[in-house]
Amino acid sequence: MEAVEYRSVIKFLYLKGQNSTEIHQEMFQVYAEKCPNYSEVTHWVRKFKSGFLSVMDEHREGRPPSVVTEKNISTVEKLTMQDRRITVKQLAFDTKISTGSVETILHDHLNLNKVSARWVP
């Protein structure tokens, strides 16, 4: 069962007037080993008591999108081809992205290596 389905059961039983212990016991009788643990049931009962009645997860900011985009790859490539002696730090400064991302672009996407202070394919 998915988490949303468990939360729906918890919400239903909470609205019927049962407390956390009764809800967990009843869910354990039905779901046995797949039953959510008591602390999770308590957590959701507290949320429902505070007025939050949605069983869906709230939207959360996740990991930021990667800066390794086609636009940044082409920018780094253009700068590198203009000056083959350019440093990773200078590329990072010019493009306003991290040195790690610049290195990823150079090595993984552009297949360039530093040879005799020049970037070569």
Side-chain angles (χ1 to χ4, degrees), residues 31-113:
Y31 300 115
E33 297 301 318
K34 295 182 181 179
C35 176
N37 59 29
Y38 179 74
S39 61
E40 186 175 346
V41 172
T42 305
H43 167 76
W44 281 98
V45 168
R46 264 190 265 120
K47 282 186 98 163
F48 297 142
K49 279 183 183 176
S50 70
F52 182 83
L53 294 177
S54 175
V55 294
M56 304 302 289
D57 284 328
E58 295 174 330
H59 176 70
R60 291 175 272 170
E61 293 297 322
R63 187 174 180 182
S66 176
V67 295
V68 182
T69 61
E70 291 300 321
K71 179 184 174 210
N72 287 339
I73 292 171
S74 65
T75 304
V76 169
E77 182 179 26
K78 185 178 99 180
L79 291 170
T80 306
M81 293 306 144
Q82 286 175 356
D83 178 13
R84 294 211 175 218
R85 292 181 180 252
I86 194 165
T87 64
V88 172
K89 285 184 180 180
Q90 187 61 43
L91 284 168
F93 180 78
D94 292 345
T95 58
K96 295 181 177 51
I97 58 178
S98 71
T99 55
S101 295
V102 169
E103 288 175 347
T104 300
I105 291 170
L106 289 169
H107 296 286
D108 297 345
H109 296 279
L110 299 177
N111 297 320
L112 296 176
N113 292 310

Side-chain angles (χ1 to χ4, degrees), residues 14-42:
Y14 166 74
L15 293 174
K16 277 182 62 177
Q18 294 184 5
N19 63 30
S20 300
T21 306
E22 295 167 339
I23 293 171
H24 185 259
Q25 287 173 353
E26 191 166 337
M27 288 182 74
F28 189 78
Q29 290 174 359
V30 176
Y31 300 115
E33 297 301 318
K34 295 182 181 179
C35 176
N37 59 29
Y38 179 74
S39 61
E40 186 175 346
V41 172
T42 305

